Amino acid sequence: MSKVLGIDLGTTNSVVAVYIDGEPRIIPNATGQRTTPSMIAIEKDGTILVGPAAKNQQVTNPENTVYSMKRFMGRRHEEVAKEEKIVPYQVVGKAKKYVKIRAGGRLFAPQELSGMLLHEIKRNAEIYIGEPVERAVITVPAYFNDAQRQATIDAGVAAGLKVERIINEPTAAALAYSMERRGNRKLVVFDFGGGTFDLSALEVQGGNFRVLAVHGDTHLGGDDFDQRIIDIVADDFRRRHGIDLRENAMALQRLKEASTEAKCQLSESDEARINMPYVCVDGGNPLHLEYTLTRERFEAVCSDLFESIQRACRVLMAEAQLKASDISDVVLVGGSTRIPRVQQLARDVFNTDALDKSINPDEVVALGAATLGGVLQGDLHNIHLMDVLSHSLGIEAAGGAMRVLVRKNTPIPADVSELFTTPRDNQTSVPINVLEGESKQAMENRPLGVFQLSGIRRAPRGVPRIDVKFIIDADGILSVTATDKDTGKSQNVIITGTCGMDDSEMERVKQTTAAKDAQQDERESTLNLRNHAEKVRADIHEWLRHNNHMIPNRELARIEGVMRKLEKKIEKNDIRGIKSSLKRLDEVSVEFRKAG
């Protein structure tokens, strides 16, 4: 059976693994790295750069280099007010509409950009495995809502992948961890990455993995800690020089990179120095930035973020109906768990000194996804996952209340139905407003979609019987059916396409990806030709250095003339000229090579 990739589509970095030869293995990217920056860049000529190539030019092209797109997938513009302020590129769209990202003079859906990243990951995996790969398990934060999950599936489809399963990141991590630590246990997965914070409580019994509860915050991650450092350093520089570096895209990007590095340094030492020479110019004079950040200062300016983490942990324990003494393992996942204060919070809340970091926190989610891929491949048996719903689902009832049909932390897949009626006399149609969230008020929850059940028999209010059924699959994707019990008429809707991409846009994404493939193949072909030409030039130079006395001066001058033309064509990257010069060089060198 064909291989199934396990992909951790991360906010900052993405990781891919595959179950092969009896174990999950991380697949390195084209540059040999085990993680790939989750970045896409558009150059002036329209060339699309992905991963390491995008990151390498980020400082000089910040407005057209997109990172953290995971934070915008499946989100309406009114939901990303905080996130859009901390990125240098443009996030556009009306308040109630799903956001688009402007880069290179074009508008992209966030999942379109993620699709390009996934396609690059797919290509690298196919090279590593040595065969085409079309199937994948992709992980998402446990607290992702329906639209965000659907957006992730769309990104996989855009990349040419059949998304076999969407699995929650903490569940994937628990799967990888428990394959290493056999036995029965209750554990908490503490997953804190670049853009999201997730918690899951699980019960593991042999090969059975049952999620007890999930909680988290999809607006909280390592990026927010970086932003706090950016703000205090930029505020200090503004006080000293009257210039706000946040208004200069290139300076801001340099400051972001320096702030991220400082945050990492503070995980190992008590202070970090931020040095940025020539950060900007004032009146023709270059200005330099120097700032010393202590761990104490860092923890003080991030105190509210730490408090949010602590509160979320307590909510999880309450919803899972667990005490700290019930927990046998606390597994740390995600790069942001390296922050010492975060680790201390986990120790305090879960009342343990033993935080498990035995598996690389950057890789454990992908390894777990690949393990599930091994099950789907037929290579692993007796592994069973039961996840839970991350948000309550219901419909708007009379009076504007939220009528919950499926509560948060209900095991999935699930199938729930409930009878409703008409609020007015002789009503022949009823709007079904599907909602997601925990508020009792419908307007405070997230609308997933509205559809109309028509053809209801005229009757006094309260008489018609309308059966509303919610079906949630193992990926957490919802479909809704409403049926008039008297007439048998029904209306069905699968809550998909909620992330802002229709079929025509999806087709355009696939065409863009195919064009990028052709572009990349052309670049690789060009690079191979240049490398070949350089080798030919070097070989002939070396041969002439030892054998030029064997060639008549007239022939030698002719050869050297062609060599000079070849060197110029290589410098100009003139592909047609390189091919012509190589052909000419081959013609004039035949005789002297025979002589040699």
Side-chain angles (χ1 to χ4, degrees):
M1 188 175 289
S2 61
K3 297 299 181 186
V4 180
L5 299 180
I7 302 174
D8 174 8
L9 182 61
T11 304
T12 306
N13 293 293
S14 294
V15 188
V16 59
V18 65
Y19 196 87
I20 193 169
D21 295 333
E23 63 178 4
R25 292 185 189 174
I26 298 296
I27 298 174
N29 62 23
T31 61
Q33 299 167 316
R34 292 168 72 86
T35 63
T36 295
S38 299
M39 290 187 184
I40 301 291
I42 315 295
E43 294 188 310
K44 289 182 179 179
D45 63 358
T47 299
I48 298 171
L49 303 177
V50 181
K55 186 173 183 178
N56 289 342
Q57 52 82 74
Q58 185 179 14
V59 170
T60 58
N61 187 27
E63 297 96 335
N64 300 304
T65 303
V66 183
Y67 57 88
S68 294
M69 51 260 195
K70 181 174 177 177
R71 281 190 149 191
F72 299 102
M73 290 207 308
R75 286 272 177 82
R76 296 183 175 96
H77 205 170
E78 63 185 4
E79 298 172 323
V80 296
K82 183 177 74 169
E83 284 87 347
E84 71 174 329
K85 291 178 181 176
I86 62 176
V87 295
Y89 52 84
Q90 285 186 296
V91 180
V92 301
K94 295 181 180 179
K96 300 291 184 183
K97 297 293 185 180
Y98 289 91
V99 299
K100 301 280 187 178
I101 292 171
R102 191 185 301 279
R106 295 169 56 189
L107 287 178
F108 298 91
Q111 56 270 32
E112 180 176 357
L113 298 168
S114 290
M116 294 177 189
L117 173 65
L118 286 171
H119 185 74
E120 183 73 9
I121 287 171
K122 175 179 180 287
R123 278 174 62 108
N124 289 332
E126 289 175 334
I127 293 170
Y128 179 88
I129 297 170
E131 62 184 50
V133 179
E134 297 178 349
R135 307 163 70 205
V137 172
I138 304 179
T139 65
V140 296
Y143 222 53
F144 253 23
N145 62 34
D146 188 89
Q148 290 169 307
R149 291 170 189 272
Q150 185 61 50
T152 304
I153 292 174
D154 283 353
V157 173
L161 289 167
K162 180 184 179 185
V163 182
E164 296 283 359
R165 282 288 302 273
I166 291 290
I167 179 174
N168 289 339
E169 290 163 5
T171 306
L175 182 56
Y177 173 81
S178 295
M179 296 299 287
E180 298 282 333
R181 305 279 190 278
R182 297 285 182 172
N184 299 341
R185 54 171 49 84
K186 287 187 175 73
L187 57 90
V188 167
V189 178
F190 188 106
D191 186 352
F192 194 26
T196 58
F197 174 48
D198 261 336
L199 291 159
S200 285
L202 301 97
E203 183 176 40
V204 181
Q205 294 180 329
N208 296 313
F209 294 77
R210 184 166 72 94
V211 179
L212 303 175
V214 298
H215 194 64
D217 188 341
T218 55
H219 295 270
L220 177 62
D223 288 352
D224 300 286
F225 288 84
D226 295 346
Q227 190 61 37
R228 295 298 171 89
I229 299 175
I230 290 170
D231 288 338
I232 60 174
V233 175
D235 288 344
D236 178 78
F237 191 86
R238 184 175 57 186
R239 283 192 296 270
R240 293 171 183 269
H241 303 286
I243 296 174
D244 192 339
L245 297 177
R246 288 163 294 201
E247 297 175 356
N248 181 317
M250 192 175 296
L252 176 61
Q253 185 54 46
R254 287 183 62 193
L255 180 54
K256 176 172 175 52
E257 291 185 0
S259 298
T260 302
E261 185 177 343
K263 178 188 67 178
C264 295
Q265 289 176 6
L266 290 176
S267 294
E268 305 295 334
S269 58
D270 291 332
E271 68 175 36
R273 290 181 59 81
I274 298 175
N275 294 303
M276 297 171 58
Y278 304 100
V279 67
C280 66
V281 176
D282 183 27
N285 298 315
L287 295 178
H288 314 294
L289 184 153
E290 292 185 2
Y291 189 92
T292 299
L293 177 64
T294 64
R295 184 185 292 179
E296 182 180 14
R297 172 72 170 142
F298 169 68
E299 291 181 351
V301 299
C302 297
S303 60
D304 60 317
L305 302 179
F306 293 123
E307 288 171 6
S308 295
I309 293 170
Q310 196 168 42
R311 280 196 304 273
C313 292
R314 290 182 177 136
V315 170
L316 174 82
M317 296 296 282
E319 293 185 348
Q321 299 181 3
L322 294 173
K323 302 186 296 292
S325 57
D326 297 326
I327 304 300
S328 58
D329 308 81
V330 178
V331 182
L332 298 186
V333 178
S336 297
T337 58
R338 294 185 174 94
I339 298 173
R341 180 64 181 143
V342 170
Q343 295 185 13
Q344 188 58 52
L345 284 172
R347 292 190 190 96
D348 292 345
V349 172
F350 300 113
N351 193 26
T352 179
D353 288 328
L355 302 178
D356 199 292
K357 299 172 278 186
S358 57
I359 304 179
N360 186 326
D362 297 325
E363 299 177 356
V364 63
V365 170
L367 291 171
T371 300
L372 179 55
V375 175
L376 298 174
Q377 289 167 199
D379 296 336
L380 266 176
H381 304 281
N382 300 319
I383 300 292
H384 305 284
L385 300 178
M386 181 176 284
D387 223 318
V388 297
L389 192 65
S390 59
H391 300 272
S392 296
L393 297 170
I395 67 172
E396 183 176 358
M402 159 82 155
R403 181 70 170 269
V404 175
L405 271 73
V406 193
R407 294 203 173 276
K408 175 186 176 185
N409 291 322
T410 295
I412 56 175
D415 183 336
V416 179
S417 62
E418 192 167 327
L419 282 175
F420 292 85
T421 188
T422 53
R424 299 191 308 273
D425 292 337
N426 299 317
Q427 195 170 344
T428 59
S429 67
V430 175
I432 309 294
N433 184 15
V434 183
L435 302 168
E436 178 180 56
E438 312 311 317
S439 175
K440 293 180 180 180
Q441 298 300 313
M443 64 181 298
E444 295 177 0
N445 290 310
R446 193 175 197 279
L448 294 182
V450 179
F451 64 101
Q452 199 83 12
L453 177 61
S454 303
I456 298 173
R457 180 174 56 84
R458 293 180 181 276
R461 65 179 183 175
V463 173
R465 296 175 303 152
I466 301 166
D467 182 44
V468 177
K469 178 180 287 188
F470 278 26
I471 301 174
I472 303 103
D473 67 15
D475 294 331
I477 302 298
L478 169 68
S479 63
V480 182
T481 302
T483 304
D484 180 354
K485 300 290 284 185
D486 294 333
T487 66
K489 290 187 177 181
S490 67
Q491 178 69 39
N492 174 269
V493 61
I494 299 175
I495 308 297
T496 60
T498 52
C499 48
M501 285 180 68
D502 57 26
D503 291 342
S504 63
E505 287 179 304
M506 182 66 75
E507 185 59 34
R508 180 174 60 81
V509 173
K510 292 179 179 178
Q511 290 175 2
T512 301
T513 303
K516 179 189 165 297
D517 274 355
Q519 196 178 68
Q520 185 167 332
D521 290 342
E522 185 178 348
R523 285 201 303 270
E524 289 175 357
S525 176
T526 298
L527 181 60
N528 290 337
L529 180 63
R530 280 177 57 93
N531 289 340
H532 172 67
E534 289 279 9
K535 186 176 185 306
V536 168
R537 185 182 62 83
D539 286 347
I540 293 178
H541 267 308
E542 184 65 16
W543 193 92
L544 289 175
R545 191 165 67 87
H546 296 289
N547 301 285
N548 59 0
H549 62 281
M550 301 170 58
I551 304 173
N553 289 339
R554 183 177 175 182
E555 293 301 317
L556 183 61
R558 195 153 61 101
I559 293 170
E560 289 176 341
V562 177
M563 290 280 284
R564 284 193 296 272
K565 284 184 179 179
L566 176 61
E567 289 170 359
K568 289 180 181 179
K569 299 301 182 183
I570 291 173
E571 287 176 7
K572 294 180 179 179
N573 202 31
D574 181 350
I575 301 306
R576 183 177 296 179
I578 291 173
K579 290 179 179 179
S580 176
S581 295
L582 284 173
K583 182 180 179 181
R584 180 62 180 149
L585 192 60
D586 184 61
E587 291 171 353
V588 301
S589 63
V590 168
E591 293 301 323
F592 81 77
R593 283 184 177 277
K594 287 181 180 178

